[in-house]
Structure formats: structure tokens, C-alpha cells
Amino acid sequence: MKRKVLVLASAMTFLSGAAMAQAKLVEKVTKQGSELVIPYEKYVLPNGLTLIIHEDHSDPVVHVDVTYHVGSAREEIGKSGFAHFFEHMLFQGSDNVADEQHFKTVTQAGGTLNGSTNRDRTNYYETVPSNQLEKMLWLESDRMGFFLDAVTQKKFEVQRSTVKNERGQNYDNVPYGLRFETINKNLYPYGHPYSWQTIGYVEDLNRVDVNDLKNFFLRWYGPNNAALTIGGDVKPADVVKLVEKYFGSIPAGPKVEPVKVPAAVLEGNRYVSYVDNYAKLPMFAVAYPTVPDFHKDKAALAALAQIIGQGRNSVLFQQFTKKQLALQAQAFSSLSELSGEFQVVLLPSPGKTLADMEKLYYAALDSFEKRGVTDEDIIKFKGGYESQLINGLQSVAGKASQLAQFQYLTGNPNQIGGQLAAYTSLTKEDVMAAYNKYIKGKGAVVLSIVPKGQEQIIAKADNYTIDTTHYVRPNYGYTGLKYVKGKDNFDRRKMPGNGPNPVVTVPKFWRKDLPNGARVIGTENTEIPTVTLSITVPGGHLLQANNLSKAGLASFFANMMNEDTKNYTAEQISVELQKLGSSVNVSSGTDGITFSVQALKKNIDPVMALLQERLFNPKFTEDAFNRIKKQRLESFKLAKSQPAAVADAVFAKLNYGPNHILGIDEDGTEETIKNMTLKDIENYYNNYMTSQDAKVVIVGDIKEAEILPKLAFLSKLPKKKIELPKVDATPAVSKTTVYMVDVPKSAQSEFRVGYTTPMKYDPTGDYYKAQLANYALGGNFNSRLNLNLREDKGWTYGASSYFTADKYSGTFEFSSGIRADATDSALYEVMKDVKNYLQNGPSDDEVSFMKSAIAQSDARKYETGFQKAAFIGRILDYNLPANYIEQQSKILKSMTKEQIKAVSNKYIQPQKMNVLLVGDKAKIMEGVKKLGYDVVELDVDGNKIDKKVF
């Protein structure tokens, strides 16, 4: 690595927008040889803003990340959730950016955007075509320096409602959703900023007012508490000039000191419990306090978590899952800026109490101590970490985000090489020392989560009461804060235009039909030294179309193909693959079984040998079959406790009918899984493994001439034609009917509205045109449905509509989780929006917006290996012409309002839709009935409760 530290670099600074806002180059890191490094230049502006630039011309895209060093760790008792609330508020416009314009501007530019909040930081980010950089800097600088005057009470109330919906959807309304909240408030001292979740408490959100939020912004969102990281197809000198122009005039905020809090100290186990109304099965969890991120023991704790509770070779898998004592058994280490936790989670098999789980858990730790840490443990851990690190650098977003994270946690973006060194120098002794220091004999929070009516099965009686008497409220300096805007010497009201359009290159690919009947497609990608390969053998879910009693067989078979082989146990294969930093997995789909390989280029040969072992030498054992069968049966019970999962399953049954293969989940049902035998698995392998019409997709650092000889083993497969059963036609919907599934006390109602369409996948026909037509209705954040239900009404965390299609069928669907008390009103609004759109069509502005957004987004379509694989895989799967993207572009350019209206009316018929509502009948039934629809009650399996129609 070559590093230059400069006191001043006047040759690299530019006078522009704000006079004298010159950025100082403080560091430049370049790559030397084969070292692992993300090259960058780092600057600091006079107002304290840190600027990090990573230059990468491999794709015509740029990623912009603004990270503010403020998360829930800057909050206090009674005022939780502020940082996350501000993540929402900062998308609501500023002095020169209108309400909803931020999302609209980025989307219209062909970009993608979001924000996220954790304990320690909030970040906002966009990935856009490289010609849109200046526009992104205008947007981000305007909300950093010109935000507060645009805050209104209405925006505040809508976003407060949206955050409450988010909490309901992700925490309160899902099984085990309060696990981390309960653990953290009992693990950390009262008032410790990690003792609450970033989402905050509803009661705190209820009491906060707009002035509280304004003070929070003034205190923490200044440029001196932020890092702007820009990566991609840029020239650093140009970037510096633009950043000085748009950010240079923004005044610095108050000085920000590091957060200092006492560590969590537990003298013994703290037993706590709660009743979960959504859980069907109990859960046992243990949480130990550990160390902050970048502590010297970070790698040792990560390795310890893997050895104890990650993967087939882990102690917990062997002691619990394989012995069928638990359906799930995991451990993980999670480190943040101020502290960390080591957690264990056990989901017991039926009949086991949580007291049983606790005894078995400590017995498993005893077995770990006897087993110790092996050389093999360390080798596979290092191989996996190296692969993970390298694969994370496929995109400019991945690289820029990594630099931003290093900066806010350490103040030094150049940490990736040091992290790799820390992990690759790890020893067995380091891991065992971490176990003795943080786990063995140490106090922990022991949490019992139990379904209603099973309170007696907790591990032990609660023995801990939170001490609230010693809390001293922090003085963060909110008094006397004043809002001062910067003064520019340019007109900030004018949105910047676009730079020159970037040249978008569709990946070049090669194709080869092999004598054994397999079809191969590949593209070379030398950005990182990896190879991704998939082999899909015809078959899959559709094979059971004429034998629905065994639906789910293909998925079960794929699971069994990941188990033991004749020459290796599944654990041995897992070890070998982890050592190689690679993976081989078998999965099932609608019409095929797929063998997926991800390998470091240097290890491709031994990985391909392990692929062949999986393909040719499966060993279908009774033990594995019984274990997977039991896990599947219990997983169906868990799914029935999740309203969203119930909605998806029942909606498919409504759309396709109860006796249609596509109306049954690819994993099957409780009844079909019970029907399966080990012989069924063996018969699937004997009857449906073939090279004829197999599809092979290859992306990575490998040439056609290198990989084709490595595929010669496919000739060992039988070359036989697999005929899939014909897919039945779907039932027509005669009139719109509401179907209701009762989930008592549900905070939200899951909406699924739509039906099957006659369209199948056709990227240059009606299917593509229908996607374009839906864009303004429900296909993007600024669509009519989302703006109405989320941004205007505040009833949901998000709402969308979409068309889907494959070779066999198509659907149109609206979906959302809606606040329970707004269910009837939301259904009325959905139907109103749909009917208005069909009657009047899109506006000129909506058509222009759609065309710009979709056309510009081409620059982002082919950046990563996964994106390239999806593109060429689609060409192979549907036998598409190589220029189909050009054909789509012509369709997009020529699409008119009248065409959009015609396509919409052809495929969206609100008078003939299935409307499914999964929620609390007691709260929503009366209101829904007043809308005038027939209402039919269903159970969680989609069966009519009776024939009564309301």
C-alpha cells in the first residue's frame, strides 16, 4: 500500500460555489501489487466535512453515501427512536427540494436510493448513472444545510405514523419480534443507549413534538459530524470541485464528542421472559456482553460463533439440530461501536421445555470444551472470511460503504487490509481465550419466549428487575441551538442538469450446446477473482402437477441432495468448501433443480470435484430424511403465525384454485410432506437426473476455453428427455370478492389484491408493456398507491403493485401491510386509485418520469456477477435474442399515454379481483362490509369456514 499524508494540497483544490471552501487532501491510498486495498483519496473541508473518493471506471455508475455519526446511541430515556425518525424525515424535502421530490429525482435519474439507521450512525445513499453525480450532491447538500424550514407539522405527523407502521410490521406484529428489545434492555444498564432498539418505543414517538426533532437535527446533522463517500466512475478532481460548491457553505454544527458509557457487567444470569401472541413455538435465547467493534478479540469472537453455532459442523447443530432436539440452533457475534453481544438462539423441537434447552445448552458448552478448537476450524474460518470480504467488493456500493463504515468507526477508511490480516493471523489459542474470557461461567441474559398458554415452560422464573434509580440524563447540549444557513454564490434553487450520458455496455457472452444435450452460456468478469456457476436440471415443482398429494417433493429432494454423499458426510463437505472459501448448494424451482457453485478462481478445480460428489454420489439416509421432514412440518406451523406468510400462501390458493400445482407452495404443505417417503426421494434421483436440456450459466474470472473442459462430467448424466406435465388453466374471477383470514389482535392487516393474468413472460411483448404501464400506478416509491397510502395517509410502511410472469402463468397483485384501523379506508383508496388510473391513464409527467427512470437505470443492470448471471441466464432460459434489451429500449421510447391506458385496462380489472385481508376480524370486519363487497371468511389454510357470505 502506498499512502501519502499531505498537510495542504492547493493544486488539488478548486474555488467554486462558496468562496474559500477549499478541501484539504489529507490522505491518498493506492494499491501496490496484490494487496487487498480499496484505493481512495480523503479530504476535509473547512466546515469539518470528511470527503472520501474511490475511483473505479469498471461500470458507468457512481455511489454516493452520506454517513452521519448519529444513531440511537445519541438518544436518551424517553426520547428513543429520534435518529430513525430523522432517517424518514430527511426524505421529506428541504428548501429547494419539494416534498417527495428526493425519491422522484433519484428514480427519474435511473438510480436507487435508501437510508438506514443503526445504533451508531445514520446513512443516506444513492447509486446512479455516473452522469447524475452533481444532481445527487445537490440533493444531499440541500437536506444537510437547508432542511429545517421545510419541516411541517403534517410531514411530521405522517412520518410518525409511518414509523409506527414500520414498528408494527417488523417488531410488534411478527413472531419473536421483541426478542432483541427484551434482551438489550435487560443486558445493558438503564439509560445505556444500546438498551433500546433504533426503532424506539411507541410511547416515545407519541410524546415527541416537532421542536424536539428540530433540536436533534441541529445538534447532530452538521457537516463536521458527517462523512461523504463517493465511489465509481468519477475523477477525484471533478468530485472535489463539486463537493466544495454544494457543501462548502454549510456551517459546522456543534462539536461532537465520542459517546462514553459504562460497560455491561452481569454478576450472574438474568432470567427474563415474555408471552408472544404470534409465536407457535417457544424460543430460548442467551446473550453475553462482549466488546466494541475493532477490538482485538473481534476475529476470535466471530470464529467462536461459527464453531459453536454456524453451519453443519457447529457444536449446536451436532448437539441439537442433527439429534432433532431443536429445529434451529445458532450462535452469532454482533459488535457495535460501544459494545457487542454474543448470542445463542434455540428453537426447541415439540415436547422440549425451555428448561430442557438450558440444560442441553450448558452440556453443549461442556462438549465444546472437551472438543476444543481444531486446526480445521481455523482454516475453514479464514477461507470463508476471505471469500466474504472479496465478494463484498463486487460493486462500487460495496466498496464505498466499506470505506464509510471504517471512517465512522475508526476515523481511518484504510482498514480492509488490517481486517484481513487480523482474521488470517487468528490462532486456536485466540479463540479458546475468547471463550474463557466472555462465555465460560459468565453471566448472561437468559430469555424465554413462550406462546400464550405455555407460560409454565420457561427456563427459570424471572429474577431480574431493571434498576432505574442511578440514571443520569446526559447533557447533549440542546440548549440555545440556532439554525444558520450557508450563503452560496450560485442559485441553489436550480436543480443541476445531467452530465454526458454514460456508455452502457451489455455483457458480452458466449454460448455452447454440448453433445450431451446441455446448453451453456457464459461471460467473463475479471473484476474480482471469483467464479459463479449454476447447473439447472429439468424437473422441479411442476413434476407433481398430476400428483398433488406429493407436492413439494422437488424441494424436499433438493434438501436431501445437500446431505451426506457416499464418500463424505455433509459435515465433511462443508468443511472442505469453507477451507476453499467456496460453496456448493442444491435448490429447487418451478421447473428445475439447480446446483449453484461460488468459488475463488484459485480453488475452482477442487470445488468442481465436490460438485461432482454431490451430483453423482448422494446418500439418502433415513436419519436425514426424518430430520428434514420434522423440520418442514414444524416450519409450516411457524409460517401460520406470520400474517404475511399466511397472506402469500392463501392468496396463491385463491388465484390458482385448491387443486392447481402453482397454488401450492413449492415446499409443499403439512399434508403432502406427511405423504412422502425416502423411496420418493430415491425415485426422483433415479428418474429425473439428466443432461438433456440442462442449463449451465457461468460468470467470473474464467474463459470459455478454461471452463468447458471442466464441464465434461455432465456427460456422465443420463441423456433423457424430461417431459413436464401441462399446467392447467387458472380459474377466472367472476366478480371482486373480499376474503378474510382472522388473526386476532393483529396490529396490521395484510393486503393482497389481484388475480392471475393470461400473460406469460415476454420481455418484448405485452408483459413488458404491462410493467411499464404499472410503473406510475404502483411500480415505484413515487407511484400513486404508495404516495397515497404511505406518504399522504401514513397508513403503511410501503405499498406496491406489480405484474409477475414466467413460462407458465402470470399475475397482477397489489400488496401491503396496512394499519388495522385503516383497513376499510385503505381498501377504498386502493380501488379508487386503480379505477382512476384505468379511466384517465397516466399524466404526461408520469409517462416522462417512467421513461427517464427506466432508460437511465440500464447503467446499473450489469455491475455485479449476480446481475450478469441473471441477464445471461434469462437469455438462455427463454431463448431470447442477444439484442432484446435494444428492442425493449425502442418499446420504451415509443410508448404513449394511450398505449399505457389500453394495456392497463386489458390486464387490470378491478371488478374481477380477489381481495384477501389477513388481520383482526373484530377490528376490520364491520368497516369492510360497509364497502359493499361480498365477504367470505377463510381459515389460515385458505379453506372456507362456512358457506355464509356477508
Side-chain angles (χ1 to χ4, degrees), residues 302-310 313-316 368 371-374 377-378 380-381 431:
L304 180 64
Q306 184 179 97
I307 295 164
I308 288 180
Q310 294 173 13
N313 294 282
S314 69
V315 173
L316 295 181
F368 164 71
R371 168 195 183 278
V373 180
T374 67
D377 290 331
I378 299 300
K380 73 175 186 179
F381 173 73
V431 178

Side-chain angles (χ1 to χ4, degrees), residues 641-653:
S641 67
Q642 302 175 37
V646 171
D648 290 338
V650 173
F651 196 58
K653 193 171 183 178

Side-chain angles (χ1 to χ4, degrees), residues 533-555:
L533 177 148
S534 68
I535 301 169
T536 300
V537 177
H541 189 51
L542 290 183
L543 285 175
Q544 302 308 127
N546 296 332
N547 183 14
L548 297 182
S549 66
K550 301 244 175 125
L553 176 60
S555 176

Side-chain angles (χ1 to χ4, degrees), residues 492-727:
R492 190 177 281 272
R493 294 171 299 176
K494 295 182 180 179
M495 181 191 299
N498 302 337
N501 286 335
V503 177
V504 179
T505 304
V506 174
K508 296 179 180 178
F509 58 87
W510 52 268
R511 296 183 65 163
K512 184 76 173 180
D513 291 343
L514 302 182
N516 55 34
R519 295 178 293 138
V520 187
I521 191 168
T523 183
E524 187 178 2
N525 177 28
T526 60
E527 290 183 40
I528 59 174
T530 63
V531 177
T532 299
L533 177 148
S534 68
I535 301 169
T536 300
V537 177
H541 189 51
L542 290 183
L543 285 175
Q544 302 308 127
N546 296 332
N547 183 14
L548 297 182
S549 66
K550 301 244 175 125
L553 176 60
S555 176
F556 203 143
F557 167 76
N559 279 168
M560 290 292 289
M561 289 292 287
N562 287 305
E563 294 291 327
D564 296 349
T565 68
K566 293 174 182 176
N567 299 304
Y568 293 84
T569 65
E571 289 78 9
Q572 287 171 330
I573 288 186
S574 176
V575 167
E576 294 305 313
L577 286 168
Q578 283 186 288
K579 288 180 184 177
L580 297 168
S582 305
S583 63
V584 175
N585 291 302
V586 188
S587 60
S588 69
T590 302
D591 59 5
I593 300 294
T594 300
F595 295 79
S596 302
V597 176
Q598 188 165 25
L600 296 175
K601 168 67 181 296
K602 63 184 180 181
N603 296 329
I604 186 66
D605 287 336
V607 174
M608 293 296 279
L610 291 169
L611 167 64
Q612 293 179 61
E613 178 66 25
R614 280 240 174 271
L615 182 58
F616 294 114
N617 297 313
K619 183 181 180 182
F620 302 124
T621 67
E622 200 75 52
D623 283 347
F625 177 82
N626 290 335
R627 170 169 44 82
I628 293 172
K629 188 172 187 177
K630 184 176 181 179
Q631 288 173 335
R632 289 209 162 196
L633 291 173
E634 293 302 326
S635 71
F636 292 130
K637 294 179 182 178
L638 287 175
K640 290 177 183 177
S641 67
Q642 302 175 37
V646 171
D648 290 338
V650 173
F651 196 58
K653 193 171 183 178
L654 285 173
N655 284 337
Y656 290 99
N659 298 312
H660 195 291
I661 187 65
L662 296 180
I664 302 174
D665 190 276
E666 290 185 5
D667 286 337
T669 67
E670 287 184 69
E671 291 73 24
T672 65
I673 295 300
K674 287 176 181 177
N675 291 335
M676 288 182 198
T677 66
L678 184 60
K679 191 66 177 176
D680 293 324
I681 303 297
E682 294 170 346
N683 287 341
Y684 190 104
Y685 183 80
N686 293 330
N687 294 332
Y688 300 114
M689 287 292 101
T690 179
S691 62
Q692 183 65 49
D693 297 323
K695 294 172 293 190
V696 185
V697 179
I698 302 154
V699 175
D701 188 14
I702 197 163
K703 298 181 184 299
E704 177 183 0
E706 290 179 88
I707 191 62
L708 283 178
K710 302 181 191 300
L711 298 176
F713 65 85
L714 290 175
S715 296
K716 298 177 185 177
L717 287 171
K719 185 181 178 182
K720 56 186 177 183
K721 184 74 174 178
I722 303 298
E723 296 289 350
L724 296 178
K726 183 181 178 181
V727 177

Side-chain angles (χ1 to χ4, degrees), residues 31 99 155 209 212 250 326 344 399 431 493 567 592 594 676 711 726 745 760 801 896:
K31 185 174 182 178
D99 191 15
K155 290 180 184 179
D209 64 35
D212 292 323
I250 301 172
V344 173
K399 286 176 274 195
V431 178
R493 294 171 299 176
N567 299 304
T594 300
M676 288 182 198
L711 298 176
K726 183 181 178 181
K745 298 184 179 179
K760 296 177 182 177
S801 62
T896 65

Side-chain angles (χ1 to χ4, degrees), residues 726-737:
K726 183 181 178 181
V727 177
D728 294 336
T730 55
V733 180
S734 58
K735 70 171 183 176
T736 295
T737 301

Side-chain angles (χ1 to χ4, degrees), residues 127-173:
T127 304
V128 293
S130 53
N131 66 324
Q132 302 290 340
L133 173 61
E134 184 172 4
K135 198 176 295 180
M136 299 307 106
L137 297 179
W138 172 74
L139 285 170
E140 289 293 354
S141 64
D142 209 64
R143 66 176 168 190
M144 179 184 284
F146 304 87
F147 169 70
L148 282 188
D149 284 348
V151 175
T152 65
Q153 190 67 33
K154 180 182 178 181
K155 290 180 184 179
F156 173 81
E157 294 297 344
V158 167
Q159 290 310 309
R160 171 156 58 185
S161 181
T162 300
V163 172
K164 288 182 185 179
N165 284 312
E166 181 181 356
R167 180 178 170 102
Q169 183 172 317
N170 296 335
Y171 297 84
D172 298 329
N173 206 32

